[in-house]
Amino acid sequence: MTASIPSTSPAHSSEISAALLGWYDRYARDLPWRAAPGSPAADPYRVWLSEVMLQQTTVAAVKPYFEKFIARWPDVEALAAAPEADVMAAWAGLGYYSRARNLVRCAGEVAAMGGFPASEAELRKLPGLGAYTAAAVAAIAFGQRAVVVDANVERVVSRLFAIAQPLPGSRKRIGAYAETITPEKRAGDFAQGMMDLGSGICTPRDPKCLLCPLSAHCAARSEGNPVAYPVKAPKKPKPLRQGTAYWIERGSAVWLVTREGRGMLGGMRSLPDDGWAASGDGSGDPPLTGEWAPAGMVRHTFTHFTLELSVRRFRGEVAEAPIGGEWWPLERLGDAGLPSLFAKAARLAQA
Ligand code: SF4
């Protein structure tokens, strides 16, 4: 950490960590990837899988996917041996699909190494493990003292220390403060306790300071307006992209393609489209010449832009299949693993 501004004393820091751990011992959420507070650490495979799934995704959305993955691929060796297409299809609906591709690559590397490395630095070298995930796995699965800062922890720390600098510029500062209160022992429980506190007590709009184990130490509460933190820089509006997806039906099947490996939604099945992901303006040609009827519009927000996707249905008889795809039975469309955007488009086309 380079932003070493914190002014907490060691005694103050240990009071904060002790209060948080005491609270976690009583109120920890029961989650399928967790070990109970104070008990031996959870299986690194489960911790890693859950943390990858939880990136940008809520606990409620992750739970059924986690259960499904664990039932189908109970350990890292099983996941490493799975065909990528199966993993991508099982991931469909969770979003941020590069995570699924990295999941398969990472499982392969870990299986070849004979297991997960225990240190944060070694974990960081694995595909898809950024600073946050590496720290979380090191702390939660291996009990290492690592500083784990997700969005919940960011909020709690910003409030505890009334950090006036706006996000995202304040991240280093927040990390430096988080480091001062991370204990030498039980760093994994401490990290999970901070996450639980941010999720259930120190919530974005309605922090329940009367129930908070850290209220006596909280600068934002003393100031009287905790929701003023974290301070955020004004958001720039997301650019708008436009594109078209095509619905081509023949008999009781629809034409699906598999997307280019490394591009957006790469490796996933989808409806054919006009190449909006690459060109940004949807200037590509339809996959068949003939008459197309509009079926509606899907609006979908990605991390860096919003997409308006027009859906068009082919009206004529399909004499010859387009190039590079497959006829997929309509009655099994739910098994195709379409990402949410194209699942919405398919519903529209069938309405
Ligand atoms: S006292 Fe209130 S604002 Fe401060 S950490 Fe607790 S819940 Fe958040």
Side-chain angles (χ1 to χ4, degrees):
M1 287 293 161
T2 50
S4 49
I5 326 100
S7 56
T8 47
S9 69
H12 184 228
S13 301
S14 62
E15 277 173 30
I16 292 175
S17 56
L20 195 272
L21 283 169
W23 176 84
Y24 183 68
D25 287 342
R26 290 187 66 186
Y27 299 111
R29 282 179 291 179
D30 184 12
L31 299 174
W33 46 85
R34 267 197 185 166
S39 59
D43 174 4
Y45 172 65
R46 295 170 75 94
V47 175
W48 161 74
L49 182 61
S50 65
E51 287 298 341
V52 173
M53 288 181 164
L54 285 163
Q55 292 163 12
Q56 321 273 350
T57 312
T58 63
V59 165
V62 164
K63 272 185 185 173
Y65 281 87
F66 179 81
E67 307 275 19
K68 178 171 69 173
F69 268 65
I70 288 292
R72 191 161 171 190
W73 300 296
D75 51 38
V76 74
E77 290 77 18
L79 186 61
E84 183 177 296
D86 289 3
V87 178
M88 299 302 288
W91 191 274
L94 257 191
Y96 300 96
Y97 294 94
S98 59
R99 291 184 296 171
R101 282 194 297 280
N102 280 329
L103 199 73
V104 178
R105 287 176 53 216
C106 183
E109 288 193 20
V110 171
M113 291 160 75
F116 282 90
S119 82
E120 190 179 350
E122 289 302 310
L123 285 160
R124 187 83 168 77
K125 294 178 188 164
L126 293 170
L129 271 82
Y132 166 76
T133 311
V137 175
I140 298 169
F142 295 106
Q144 308 279 329
R145 183 178 182 273
V147 182
V148 184
V149 184
D150 70 355
N152 281 323
V153 179
E154 241 170 43
R155 186 169 56 257
V156 175
V157 172
S158 297
R159 288 174 177 172
L160 261 182
F161 298 101
I163 295 174
Q165 187 186 3
L167 278 169
S170 55
R171 289 229 159 93
K172 277 192 176 171
R173 196 177 176 102
I174 291 171
Y177 274 107
E179 168 134 43
T180 65
I181 56 172
T182 300
E184 289 296 330
K185 290 188 179 148
R186 299 190 65 194
D189 281 351
F190 179 79
Q192 293 174 102
M194 289 289 275
M195 293 173 196
D196 284 11
L197 191 75
S199 155
I201 302 285
C202 193
T203 54
R205 283 185 210 91
D206 180 27
K208 296 159 190 66
C209 301
L210 289 174
L211 301 177
C212 177
L214 307 186
S215 60
H217 308 280
C218 181
R221 190 183 183 221
S222 305
E223 285 181 8
N225 187 20
V227 292
Y229 300 94
V231 180
K232 290 185 179 159
K235 274 190 183 163
K236 287 191 204 140
K238 290 189 180 186
L240 181 69
R241 286 194 192 180
Q242 282 166 329
T244 306
Y246 299 101
W247 181 267
I248 308 165
E249 218 172 293
R250 188 175 75 178
S252 54
V254 60
W255 187 254
L256 297 185
V257 296
T258 300
R259 304 178 71 79
E260 288 285 321
R262 298 281 153 232
M264 283 204 69
L265 310 175
M268 308 289 296
R269 280 195 201 91
S270 76
L271 304 184
D273 65 24
D274 59 0
W276 56 267
S279 66
D281 63 359
S283 54
D285 295 325
L288 286 178
T289 4
E291 202 184 329
W292 295 88
M297 164 94 73
V298 175
R299 202 177 158 91
H300 193 86
T301 303
F302 290 99
T303 317
H304 300 297
F305 64 93
T306 299
L307 174 70
E308 283 180 354
L309 188 72
S310 303
V311 185
R312 300 179 79 77
R313 282 183 69 103
F314 191 66
R315 287 175 75 111
E317 283 293 308
V318 182
E320 206 171 309
I323 299 165
E326 61 191 315
W327 291 111
W328 190 273
L330 283 169
E331 61 181 15
R332 288 204 300 107
L333 195 55
D335 301 333
L338 296 180
S340 306
L341 167 68
F342 287 101
K344 282 192 244 174
R347 280 196 294 277
L348 209 53
Q350 290 179 290

